[in-house]
């Protein structure tokens, strides 16, 4: 019977099991050979006493190379000194694919490697249990997000990633050749999810890639990322902030409950954030950080000062100046210089951004013009506002940033399997 290494337990003692995996380590003590077998769930010890295993299996164990892929058939024996408290006495070891030597990367992590080296040989880096743990937790994170949003009546959708115009204007776009025309990789599903509000879906979400041609070389920016977006009708910015903070709490709860082993591999201890998250007005932020002119976005040094004041917690920055937010952000009726926008922060890291949207056609056209954009470029989008667009709001949450903040990763490239940044197009 085939088993994962983590499945081996008391009920298997004395029984024959089948294991598949990679040779993680070998210790040759002459008449006794120990092999540590690794699969995606952990490790187990294969013990080969010369007098208790066949000569062929013993000879194979002595010459096998680390990171070779093998099939092991053997008997489970209790051994308190072994990983997990059990060992396997093998009947057969079959080498399914032998690894070349030397390895370009040390999977046991006894010899540390720089991040660029690790990313150059990412398939090997991903074999490390600590790295696999990141992506097992990411899997749970996305499962929890889907479950939470479905429970709150959201419908999952997919929007185009090849588009004819920028979501928010600007030049941060990757052009692509689209038959006889130029097109672009989409920065955001923003325009399409708003159009779905006009279509009557009322609550939608999408988990999909976004592309931004920003020339950043930082530890928190990627040029291809996964965005978790929602749009919700018949609500305002407060309604979708409530959804967002409860979603964050749900993810933490589920990860703590279902990913204890992976958190232990990473030596990470999580605490569920307290609700509600603090809401700090933009004007209040300026009083704390100083030296930022009103109306400008908040630079990283200012956000670090703010995080020192508030701590490494989740909080919202609300009531942003209208001029520094996208054209679709709804201004306050009594103070049009500020809008119903918010950013979700964890310490100094922005995780999500959202707003109540302008849902009136004439007002939206004027807002587009005020940003120096041409309404004709957005005609396909604006048409949806002519024939009954409900009030609505939404947000976009960066999957990699959310994971990075949760696990306290030092570089966002750690949170994606094959990162794309200004310098990296391979592997």
């Amino acid at each position: 019977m085939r088993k994962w290494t983590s499945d081996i337990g008391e009920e298997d003692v004395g029984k024959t099991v089948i294991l598949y995996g990679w040779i993680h380590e070998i210790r040759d003590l002459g008449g006794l050979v120990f092999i540590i077998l690794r699969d995606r769930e952990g490790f187990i010890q294969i013990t080969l006493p010369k007098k208790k295993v066949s000569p062929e299996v013993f000879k194979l164990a002595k010459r096998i190379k680390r990171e070779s892929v093998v099939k092991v058939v053997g008997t489970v024996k209790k051994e308190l000194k072994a990983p997990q408290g059990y060992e396997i006495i093998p009947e057969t070891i079959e080498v399914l694919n032998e690894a070349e030597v030397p390895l370009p990367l040390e999977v046991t992590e006894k010899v540390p490697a720089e991040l660029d080296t690790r990313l150059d040989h990412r398939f090997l880096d991903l074999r490390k249990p600590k790295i696999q743990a990141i992506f097992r937790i990411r899997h749970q994170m996305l499962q929890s997000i889907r479950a939470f949003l479905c429970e709150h009546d959201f419908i999952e959708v997919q929007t185009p990633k090849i588009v004819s115009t920028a979501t928010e204007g600007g030049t941060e776009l990757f052009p692509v050749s689209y038959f006889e025309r130029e097109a672009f990789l989409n920065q955001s599903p923003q325009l399409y999810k708003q159009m779905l509000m006009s279509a009557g879906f009322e609550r939608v979400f999408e988990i999909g890639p976004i592309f931004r041609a920003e020339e950043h070389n930082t530890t928190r920016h990627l040029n291809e990322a996964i965005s978790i977006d929602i749009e919700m009708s018949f609500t305002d910015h407060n309604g979708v902030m409530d959804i967002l903070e409860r979603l964050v709490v749900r993810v933490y709860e589920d990860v703590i409950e279902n990913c204890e082993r992976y958190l232990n591999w990473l030596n990470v201890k999580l605490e569920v954030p307290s609700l509600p998250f603090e809401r700090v007005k933009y004007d209040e932020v300026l009083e704390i950080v100083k030296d930022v002119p009103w109306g400008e976005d908040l630079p990283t040094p200012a956000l670090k000062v703010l995080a020192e004041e508030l701590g490494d917690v989740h909080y919202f920055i609300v009531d942003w100046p209208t001029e520094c937010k996208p054209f679709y952000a709804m201004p306050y009726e009594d103070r049009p210089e500020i809008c119903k926008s918010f950013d979700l922060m964890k310490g100094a890291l922005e995780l999500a951004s959202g707003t109540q949207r302008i849902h009136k056609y004439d007002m939206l056209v004027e807002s587009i013009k005020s940003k120096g954009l041409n309404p004709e470029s957005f005609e396909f989008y604006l048409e949806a506002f002519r024939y009954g667009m409900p009030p609505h709001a939404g947000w976009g949450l960066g999957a990699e940033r959310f994971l990075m903040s949760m696990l306290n990763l030092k570089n966002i490239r750690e949170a994606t399997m094959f990162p794309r940044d200004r310098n990296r197009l391979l592997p």
Side-chain angles (χ1 to χ4, degrees), residues 240-259:
V240 291
M241 276 194 283
D242 175 69
I243 290 285
L244 179 53
E245 65 184 4
R246 287 193 288 138
L247 179 145
V248 168
V249 166
R250 168 67 173 274
V251 169
Y252 271 75
E253 290 173 342
D254 288 353
V255 167
I256 290 169
E257 180 179 353
N258 300 319
C259 299

Side-chain angles (χ1 to χ4, degrees), residues 243-340:
I243 290 285
L244 179 53
E245 65 184 4
R246 287 193 288 138
L247 179 145
V248 168
V249 166
R250 168 67 173 274
V251 169
Y252 271 75
E253 290 173 342
D254 288 353
V255 167
I256 290 169
E257 180 179 353
N258 300 319
C259 299
E260 180 181 4
R261 182 153 52 109
Y262 308 121
L263 291 170
N264 289 339
W265 287 1
L266 292 165
N267 196 27
V268 169
K269 185 169 180 60
L270 294 183
E271 293 184 6
V272 178
S274 299
L275 290 176
F277 297 168
E278 185 175 359
R279 282 139 169 82
V280 185
K281 292 183 178 181
Y282 175 88
D283 289 350
E284 295 170 339
V285 172
L286 295 195
E287 292 176 8
I288 296 170
V289 303
K290 315 294 185 189
D291 301 325
V292 176
W294 195 92
E296 291 192 6
D297 202 355
L298 299 171
T300 299
L303 292 173
K304 288 181 177 178
V305 172
L306 183 61
E308 289 174 6
E309 177 75 15
L310 299 176
D312 188 30
V313 297
H314 294 88
Y315 61 94
F316 288 106
I317 302 175
V318 299
D319 296 354
W320 285 76
T322 304
E323 63 187 83
C324 72
K325 286 296 180 179
F327 63 79
Y328 46 77
M330 174 69 82
Y332 281 92
E333 295 79 2
D334 55 344
R335 280 193 68 191
E337 70 274 14
I338 64 172
C339 61
K340 299 177 181 180

Side-chain angles (χ1 to χ4, degrees), residues 117-213:
T117 302
R118 290 170 47 207
L119 295 178
D120 286 343
H121 308 285
R122 189 59 157 161
F123 68 95
L124 274 175
D125 189 52
L126 288 166
R127 292 183 187 181
K128 299 173 186 175
K130 283 186 178 180
I131 308 304
Q132 288 229 349
I134 294 170
F135 295 97
R136 298 300 291 272
I137 293 168
R138 178 177 169 131
H139 169 69
Q140 177 63 63
M141 176 187 83
L142 294 175
Q143 273 195 320
S144 298
I145 288 168
R146 278 195 168 92
F148 175 88
L149 292 173
C150 290
E151 288 164 14
H152 288 79
D153 299 323
F154 284 82
I155 298 167
E156 185 168 7
V157 298
Q158 291 79 39
T159 61
K161 300 299 167 248
I162 300 175
V163 296
S164 63
T165 189
T167 302
E168 300 169 9
T171 59
E172 295 168 346
L173 293 162
F174 288 111
V176 296
S177 176
Y178 195 74
F179 302 103
E180 294 81 25
R181 291 171 289 169
E182 183 179 57
F184 304 95
L185 296 179
N186 207 359
Q187 296 168 305
S188 162
Q190 178 65 41
L191 306 186
Y192 291 93
K193 61 181 183 170
Q194 284 189 263
M195 291 165 67
L196 291 173
M197 297 303 95
S198 179
F201 281 77
E202 292 200 21
R203 298 184 180 202
V204 300
F205 76 96
E206 177 171 7
I207 300 175
I210 59 170
F211 306 88
R212 304 221 167 177

Side-chain angles (χ1 to χ4, degrees), residues 399-423:
E400 288 81 11
R401 286 197 177 193
F402 188 17
L403 187 64
M404 179 186 180
S405 70
M406 188 188 312
L407 301 181
N408 197 28
L409 304 177
K410 303 304 180 188
N411 194 310
I412 197 168
R413 290 156 186 79
E414 297 267 21
T416 187
M417 285 187 168
F418 300 102
R420 292 292 177 260
D421 59 29
R422 187 179 177 185
N423 300 310

